[in-house]
Amino acid sequence: MKEVLDDIERWRADGHRVAVARVVGVEGSGPRDPGATMVVNDTGEVAGSVSGGCVEGAVVEEALAVLAGTHDRGVVSFGYSDDEAFAVGLTCGGTIHVFVEPLDW
Amino acid sequence: MSDSIYELLRDALRAEEPAALATVTAGPTVGAKLLVRPDVAPVGTLGDPDLDRVVARDARGELESGLTTTRHYGTRGEAREHEVSVFIESFAPPPRMVIFGAVDFTAALVKAGKVLGFRVTVCDARAVFATRARFPDADDVVNDWPDRHLAKIGSELGPRDAVCVLTHDAKFDVPALVGALDTDAGYVGAMGSRRTHADRVARLREAEVGEDAIRRVMAPIGLDIGARTPEETAIAICAEIIALRTGRPAPSLRDTDGSIHG
């Protein structure tokens, strides 16, 4: 969270809405530990990361959907066993759970 | 208007003050938050006062050990139930690296320590060497004797912290080590050849430092990776700090013999 504070503050100052995605669970081999944070603003600008780059694109889409109100805040999971493994899975074979929410707190 | 939880958390992070943020990730109140800080009342609610009380207690414990984890509760905080998942994220202040000796290896170790997220202090009794201009990356540059500086900050050092003694000079490094071994620092390392260290061990025994404490000293400092330059040595030291923390079997120079430099 700390490393993306400057981006959050800049976006807030410019009147942007912000979504926060945080790794809240890792099973097996995962690239980032719980707490790894990525933030996305309503224009799709991104700071930080939640993986080694494997699932960032999907998390940005989820964050934008949460900001748009088409998805509820909640946990999205990515992993080898996922149906979408070939699309956005982790190449390392682990599973990560990412909590995505608007910064409205 | 009172500050939001985000603003309180932001201010704590910027001030490097400890804080834990609890967020409901599954259950009836997804997204609900409780901000927990030492010595002040929690801010926010997870949706039930009993749940708040139990999570605040757990969050304080997690924060003390610097852990970030998801825990499960009943809706009123009951243990061994799984109706509510709470992600407790600890924001502990950065670990500290205290480097004694403003020598040519110090600047490289300051840089490497910063990369690893340490708050880095350089301490040297010689004012002409311990200057901010020589160590622009250090968080603090202190002009003091090692034992005096450790008397001030030693009680703050814990298992996540590192003390690196690079002075190469018995008149500084023996008091620095005596002081460092009296702290709970997770890593204590000392630079110098195997012969220098044998002499140092004799001096530590004269100073009535116990054998268990002497065994804590990683000396010669760093992993046995054939480091030659200050930069390579800094990496060898930082890698040793990581290996000691994780308990992985990496070859420390302390436990090998033969030449230090590749």
Side-chain angles (χ1 to χ4, degrees), chain A residues 38 40 55-67 70-71:
Chain A
M38 185 167 86
V40 180
V55 303
E56 263 67 10
V59 174
V60 171
E61 281 181 33
E62 182 66 22
L64 290 173
V66 167
L67 283 178
T70 54
H71 282 193

Side-chain angles (χ1 to χ4, degrees), chain B residues 56-80:
Chain B
R57 181 199 65 199
D58 290 350
R60 289 185 205 283
E62 302 280 22
L63 186 54
E64 271 182 25
S65 25
L67 291 174
T68 285
T69 182
T70 293
R71 287 173 169 260
H72 307 282
Y73 304 90
T75 51
R76 292 185 175 173
E78 299 93 331
R80 294 181 297 279

Side-chain angles (χ1 to χ4, degrees), chain B residues 62-231:
Chain B
E62 302 280 22
L63 186 54
E64 271 182 25
S65 25
L67 291 174
T68 285
T69 182
T70 293
R71 287 173 169 260
H72 307 282
Y73 304 90
T75 51
R76 292 185 175 173
E78 299 93 331
R80 294 181 297 279
E81 293 189 24
H82 278 73
E83 291 158 283
V84 186
S85 299
V86 180
F87 177 59
I88 301 175
E89 184 170 8
S90 289
F91 299 94
R96 299 188 59 165
M97 177 185 283
V98 183
I99 308 173
F100 290 108
V103 299
D104 51 350
F105 285 83
T106 308
L109 183 56
V110 171
K111 279 205 178 102
K114 290 306 293 176
V115 168
L116 285 187
F118 282 97
R119 177 180 178 87
V120 181
T121 300
V122 175
C123 177
D124 196 305
R126 303 164 301 174
V128 64
F129 293 116
T131 64
R132 177 144 290 285
R134 291 188 69 209
F135 306 105
D137 299 313
D139 295 284
D140 304 290
V141 178
V142 177
N143 178 219
D144 204 350
W145 283 76
D147 44 340
R148 276 219 313 238
H149 186 57
L150 279 170
K152 280 182 208 150
I153 64 148
S155 63
E156 299 164 14
L157 299 180
R160 301 158 65 230
D161 302 317
V163 177
C164 302
V165 180
L166 309 187
T167 51
H168 266 122
D169 180 340
K171 125 172 129 277
F172 294 112
D173 69 7
V174 168
L177 284 171
V178 171
L181 292 172
D182 201 30
T183 72
D184 293 329
Y187 179 90
V188 178
M191 184 170 271
S193 69
R194 298 185 190 284
R195 201 173 64 187
T196 300
H197 189 57
D199 172 61
R200 193 156 47 202
V201 166
R203 289 166 185 267
L204 288 171
R205 286 188 181 127
E206 278 170 29
E208 295 184 352
V209 175
E211 294 303 313
D212 287 349
I214 290 174
R215 275 294 294 172
R216 273 174 70 196
V217 181
M218 304 308 289
I221 197 169
L223 292 187
D224 188 355
I225 55 173
R228 288 172 181 274
T229 63
E231 291 74 18

Side-chain angles (χ1 to χ4, degrees), chain B residues 229-247:
Chain B
T229 63
E231 291 74 18
E232 290 177 356
T233 303
I235 298 297
I237 294 169
C238 285
E240 184 172 66
I241 291 172
I242 297 168
L244 204 65
R245 191 193 69 217
T246 58

